[in-house]
């Protein structure tokens, strides 16, 4: 693994768990964790249960006791590490968003396709696909239970930078994160909308806003001061604080998206709703074990949204866990995505979501930024 912060912690927990709860064809070994700071990485290796640690990710590619590289770094290093790892014959799991730009994502998707020809697999970590209720929603859509999809409505609301004194961390710097709320949490809802609807966006019209344009610089080198910056000063926020956009799907559905870090009181408010000719589904991550389903074919006298508690052993991923009603949490989504990755590797096929799907999300993000920069003008998507 490269990186040991939030995603490093989430993935480490999942790597330890996946082989203990699922029947996976390959048993993962947590061989080495990599970070630039020797002391911090050694501490992370002990805390998260890694057998060794490195301070240069290139060393991982030279080690023949490493067969897969899990990239948990900011987006500015995804392309370099993933392409080199694939060329070195290592399977790759890469955190979202796939990259910070479309050209980087194109290069990664090309490297992934070439590597697949040699049986080297790759996957991008859109973990919310692995919420059982989301997987159930996608099954209902695919089974025609929603009919023709007319509307997709997706939101991802956070509030962790509402305070103007929150420091200028890497997620607020374009050169590190690529974009702000758009790429960080907007990427999730773009991927989910396309995944659940089983369709692709063909165009968007967007606006973005940066409410707080200057922030205090983080203290100490660990906070990621750039050249010429000194602790105690302020720096410019170079990414969006929110992105709102409309979209059109190839199959005719229309969509609305909202990704923001200024929804005061919403800590991790991801929700999605699809309305179709035969029914609707609605999901809210704050009640992540529930899916609300409206069956339009029912007798209007008794019809209505019903709450499905998605904890039956027949529901996606649930066969591995607890009896019905014993609900799951955020961390289970990472164990589920590793299960999908390991099963695909064991069956010698490409896992989903592929780098090609990650590239598709990147094209939407780029179109959103282009539209927002051009007074919201409609932007077609390749
Ligand atoms: C943003 O703070 C963030 O950590 C995202 O980067 C993750 O993808 C999301 O799952 C939780 O919020």
């Amino acid at each position: 693994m490269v990186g040991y912060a939030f995603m490093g912690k989430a993935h480490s927990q999942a790597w330890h768990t996946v082989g203990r709860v699922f029947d996976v064809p390959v048993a993962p070994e947590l061989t080495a964790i990599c970070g630039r700071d020797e002391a911090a990485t050694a501490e992370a290796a002990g805390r998260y249960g890694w057998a060794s640690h490195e301070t240069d990710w290139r060393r991982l590619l030279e080690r023949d006791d490493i067969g897969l590289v899990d990239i948990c770094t900011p987006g500015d290093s995804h392309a370099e590490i993933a392409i080199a790892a694939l060329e070195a014959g290592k399977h790759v799991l890469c955190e979202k968003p796939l990259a910070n730009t479309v050209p980087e994502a194109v290069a990664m998707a090309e490297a992934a396709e070439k590597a697949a020809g040699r049986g080297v697999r790759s996957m991008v970590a859109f973990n919310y696909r692995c919420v059982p209720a989301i997987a159930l929603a996608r099954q209902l859509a695919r089974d025609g239970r929603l009919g023709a999809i007319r509307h997709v409505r997706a939101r991802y609301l956070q509030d962790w930078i509402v305070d103007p004194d929150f420091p200028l961390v890497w997620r607020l710097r374009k050169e590190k994160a690529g974009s702000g709320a758009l790429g960080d949490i907007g990427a999730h809802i773009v991927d989910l909308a396309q995944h659940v609807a089983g369709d692709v966006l063909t165009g968007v019209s967007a606006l973005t806003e940066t409410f707080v344009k200057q922030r205090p610089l983080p203290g100490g080198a660990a906070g990621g001061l750039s050249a010429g910056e000194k602790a105690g000063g302020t720096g410019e926020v170079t990414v969006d604080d929110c992105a709102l956009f409309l979209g059109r799907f190839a199959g005719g559905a229309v969509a609305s998206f909202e990704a923001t870090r200024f929804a005061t009181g919403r800590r991790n408010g991801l929700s999605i709703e699809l309305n179709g000719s035969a029914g609707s589904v609605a999901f809210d991550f704050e009640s992540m074990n529930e899916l609300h389903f409206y069956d339009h074919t029912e007798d209007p006298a008794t019809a209505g949204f019903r709450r499905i508690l998605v904890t039956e052993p027949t529901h996606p991923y649930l066969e591995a866990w607890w009896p019905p009603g014993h609900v799951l949490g955020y961390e289970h989504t990472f164990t589920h995505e590793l299960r999908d990755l390991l099963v695909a590797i064991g069956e010698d096929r490409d896992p989903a979501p592929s780098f090609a799907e990650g590239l598709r999300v990147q094209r939407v993000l780029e179109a959103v930024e282009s539209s927002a920069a051009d007074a919201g003008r409609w932007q077609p998507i390749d």
Side-chain angles (χ1 to χ4, degrees), residues 6-7 95-96 127-128 156 158 160 170-171 184-185 188 261 267-268 330 334:
F6 180 4
M7 286 301 118
E95 260 297 330
K96 46 51 65 180
N127 64 299
Y128 293 113
Y156 200 151
Q158 292 183 339
W160 55 282
W170 71 263
R171 278 189 168 87
D184 185 24
I185 52 181
H188 278 300
R261 292 165 167 162
R267 296 292 189 261
N268 199 46
Y330 171 69
F334 293 93

Side-chain angles (χ1 to χ4, degrees), residues 47-67:
R47 174 188 299 268
Y48 299 134
W50 292 81
S52 67
H53 67 279
E54 300 281 357
T55 54
D56 175 356
W57 59 266
R58 292 168 188 79
R59 276 280 305 132
L60 303 178
L61 311 192
E62 296 159 2
R63 291 180 52 165
D64 57 15
D65 60 345
I66 289 177

